[in-house]
Amino acid sequence: MIYLTRRERFNAAHRLFKKEWSDEKNFEVFGKCSNPNWHGHNYQLFVTIKGEINPETGFVVNLKVLSKIVREKVIEKIDHKNLNLDVDFMKGKITSAENIAIAIWQEIEEDINKLSCELHCVKVVETENNSIEYYG
Ligand code: NI
């Protein structure tokens, strides 16, 4: 079994909050990420797939095909967008890195598993110090 990881990047705005809470309570729980007038992150997305090497090509999967799926299903929908307002697959969710990783997994899983490999991990890096890994 071989593991292969493709990185993509996106910039997006968000706010972590619950609308039934006051700004003070939101700040207490979510910190600076609850700023009422939004803020942005330069996110990195790492999609890891696993599979066997195709002896004809030496590849597990064609990286161009993998990248195209991630770009079409995810990056085009979220890059330079507001995660709370603009992104269909984040509607009604708290836009934490955890929820972003799970939603991205759900967006790409079906298409990736149609290739000769399996989705293994979706990693979302929100800041230099914080990242999330989701294994399905
Ligand atoms: Ni934030």
Side-chain angles (χ1 to χ4, degrees):
M1 187 77 80
I2 294 273
Y3 294 76
L4 178 154
T5 301
R6 171 76 191 176
R7 182 186 70 164
E8 302 285 348
R9 287 184 275 201
F10 61 96
N11 308 317
H14 80 152
R15 181 192 177 200
L16 296 182
F17 75 113
K18 289 178 81 75
K19 62 179 184 307
E20 57 271 34
W21 290 355
S22 65
D23 284 353
E24 292 71 30
K25 168 92 185 215
N26 275 306
F27 186 76
E28 200 185 303
V29 175
F30 297 117
K32 286 201 287 191
C33 275
S34 79
N35 175 38
N37 289 330
W38 317 107
H39 65 280
H41 295 282
N42 298 319
Y43 290 92
Q44 294 188 75
L45 168 63
F46 295 84
V47 173
T48 302
I49 60 94
K50 62 183 172 188
E52 301 298 338
I53 295 175
N54 177 340
E56 239 176 347
T57 61
F59 295 156
V60 185
V61 68
N62 186 324
L63 269 169
K64 271 190 197 160
V65 176
L66 177 61
S67 173
K68 188 165 182 275
I69 292 170
V70 177
R71 297 200 66 79
E72 285 180 2
K73 293 278 171 161
V74 179
I75 302 300
E76 284 172 16
K77 294 181 183 175
I78 59 180
D79 188 33
H80 287 71
K81 296 287 168 60
N82 182 312
L83 296 171
N84 293 72
L85 302 179
D86 301 329
V87 179
D88 56 354
F89 61 77
M90 292 307 296
K91 279 274 153 64
K93 295 174 184 165
I94 292 176
T95 55
S96 62
E98 290 87 331
N99 282 339
I100 296 167
I102 293 168
I104 288 173
W105 176 289
Q106 290 165 348
E107 284 298 296
I108 62 176
E109 183 184 21
E110 198 184 319
D111 281 8
I112 285 185
N113 290 347
K114 279 183 203 157
L115 309 175
S116 53
C117 65
E118 222 182 296
L119 184 55
H120 175 67
C121 178
V122 169
K123 178 176 176 179
V124 172
V125 179
E126 192 177 64
T127 70
E128 269 178 45
N129 298 324
N130 300 329
S131 64
I132 291 295
E133 287 166 46
Y134 181 62
Y135 293 90

